Amino acid sequence: MTTLIVKQAGPMMSVQDLGRPGFVRMGVSASGPMDGVAMRIANRLVGNGDNDALIEFSNVGGQFEVDEPVLFAVTGGAVSVTIDGDRVDCWASHTLAPGQVLRIGALTSAVWGYVAFSGGIETEPVLGARSTHLRSAIGGLDGRRLAPGDVLPLGATPETVLAGPQKVLRTPLHRFAGPIRVIKGPQAGHFDKAAWQQFLRGPFTVSASRDRMAQVLEGQEIVAAGGHDIVSDGTVMGSIQVPASGRPIILMAERQTAGGYPKIATVASVDLPRLAQALTGSQIRFKLVTQEQAEDLWIAHTLALDEVLAGLDQAPDAAMFEGGRS
């Protein structure tokens, strides 16, 4: 079996696949990637399936070695990637040979990065998935963040993949640049007209209080006329809670499964990756859409992503993302 050696590890580095749905009733949220689009592209670039496990990191990457040849790809945003000091493109596949050192620097245009290796990471599944759920200490490697010296098993890389042409994100992936679209939350009625006007007018600033569980926004306080405490009920990724502080909290991949703060809105699934990748200190605004509109946006997004994935091709060109060189 091929092994991957972690020589250096940035913060919040963990093993992730698409998550483990179906266990909310047991208090375990699905976990999975913060940016599922970047994850899927990384896997496809190296010939993996969408749900194969890879490495997710926050802000800063690390250094890696392997004991057998593999393909790898780095996605998420613009970042310096080198093999033995030689610069290579992100958003493209490359061969990493035994004895070579893969170094991944700091993201400059995003918060969450992804490193896929051909064959996928084959740690032991927990509840049917390999995703790390840090707060439950399950999945991934012993349910924890990765650290220098860790050794991860990789699945076999078919000779056809190694011998075949390498791939690049040829078609620029454009993400909507407007407000974050939301639908009304289950406690929307707790907020009066003035609160809704404040919420939709914004802007809000993405604070440094953020991790895989949630991110806190700063800005004008939102007051819940109906009270800031409710009988705890279920949450989803994208639920926007408003506690007594008036500072909205957006629940993310590793959220708690139930909460006692009123939820003014829910981020439309199509905008969750864009929200997750919003830089600390950046400003965002919200736009209210209907559930039907959110569903139509998701369908259009899925079709567009399928076209991008189908367009992955061998090319000597620079990898492209959002219209610019990586």
Side-chain angles (χ1 to χ4, degrees), residues 65 88 94 237 302 310:
E65 294 182 3
V88 297
H94 308 279
M237 186 173 180
T302 301

PDB file of all heavy atoms in Angstrom, residues 65 88 94 237 302 310:
ATOM      1  N   GLU A  65       5.575  13.750   1.551  1.00  0.00           N
ATOM      2  CA  GLU A  65       6.353  12.806   0.758  1.00  0.00           C
ATOM      3  C   GLU A  65       5.538  11.533   0.591  1.00  0.00           C
ATOM      4  O   GLU A  65       4.626  11.257   1.386  1.00  0.00           O
ATOM      5  CB  GLU A  65       7.695  12.488   1.428  1.00  0.00           C
ATOM      6  CG  GLU A  65       8.656  13.663   1.510  1.00  0.00           C
ATOM      7  CD  GLU A  65       9.991  13.278   2.147  1.00  0.00           C
ATOM      8  OE1 GLU A  65      10.163  12.075   2.472  1.00  0.00           O
ATOM      9  OE2 GLU A  65      10.842  14.163   2.317  1.00  0.00           O
ATOM     10  N   VAL A  88       5.037  24.636  -9.415  1.00  0.00           N
ATOM     11  CA  VAL A  88       4.054  24.024 -10.311  1.00  0.00           C
ATOM     12  C   VAL A  88       2.711  24.697 -10.053  1.00  0.00           C
ATOM     13  O   VAL A  88       2.509  25.363  -9.029  1.00  0.00           O
ATOM     14  CB  VAL A  88       3.947  22.497 -10.095  1.00  0.00           C
ATOM     15  CG1 VAL A  88       5.265  21.806 -10.422  1.00  0.00           C
ATOM     16  CG2 VAL A  88       3.490  22.166  -8.674  1.00  0.00           C
ATOM     17  N   HIS A  94      -0.209  16.765 -10.986  1.00  0.00           N
ATOM     18  CA  HIS A  94       1.229  16.591 -11.167  1.00  0.00           C
ATOM     19  C   HIS A  94       1.646  15.267 -10.544  1.00  0.00           C
ATOM     20  O   HIS A  94       0.991  14.758  -9.632  1.00  0.00           O
ATOM     21  CB  HIS A  94       2.004  17.731 -10.493  1.00  0.00           C
ATOM     22  CG  HIS A  94       1.558  19.096 -10.886  1.00  0.00           C
ATOM     23  ND1 HIS A  94       1.962  19.713 -12.052  1.00  0.00           N
ATOM     24  CD2 HIS A  94       0.710  19.965 -10.273  1.00  0.00           C
ATOM     25  CE1 HIS A  94       1.400  20.901 -12.135  1.00  0.00           C
ATOM     26  NE2 HIS A  94       0.637  21.084 -11.068  1.00  0.00           N
ATOM     27  N   MET A 237     -26.051  23.053   7.822  1.00  0.00           N
ATOM     28  CA  MET A 237     -24.949  23.904   7.401  1.00  0.00           C
ATOM     29  C   MET A 237     -25.535  25.137   6.728  1.00  0.00           C
ATOM     30  O   MET A 237     -26.343  25.032   5.803  1.00  0.00           O
ATOM     31  CB  MET A 237     -24.031  23.164   6.436  1.00  0.00           C
ATOM     32  CG  MET A 237     -22.782  23.953   6.066  1.00  0.00           C
ATOM     33  SD  MET A 237     -21.622  22.958   5.094  1.00  0.00           S
ATOM     34  CE  MET A 237     -20.293  24.141   4.816  1.00  0.00           C
ATOM     35  N   THR A 302     -25.179  23.072 -10.160  1.00  0.00           N
ATOM     36  CA  THR A 302     -24.769  21.682 -10.358  1.00  0.00           C
ATOM     37  C   THR A 302     -24.481  21.407 -11.827  1.00  0.00           C
ATOM     38  O   THR A 302     -23.485  20.748 -12.168  1.00  0.00           O
ATOM     39  CB  THR A 302     -25.857  20.733  -9.836  1.00  0.00           C
ATOM     40  OG1 THR A 302     -26.077  20.980  -8.438  1.00  0.00           O
ATOM     41  CG2 THR A 302     -25.448  19.282 -10.027  1.00  0.00           C
ATOM     42  N   ALA A 310     -16.348  18.096 -16.578  1.00  0.00           N
ATOM     43  CA  ALA A 310     -16.209  17.409 -17.861  1.00  0.00           C
ATOM     44  C   ALA A 310     -15.138  18.056 -18.721  1.00  0.00           C
ATOM     45  O   ALA A 310     -14.572  17.410 -19.609  1.00  0.00           O
ATOM     46  CB  ALA A 310     -17.544  17.412 -18.605  1.00  0.00           C
TER      47      ALA A 310
END
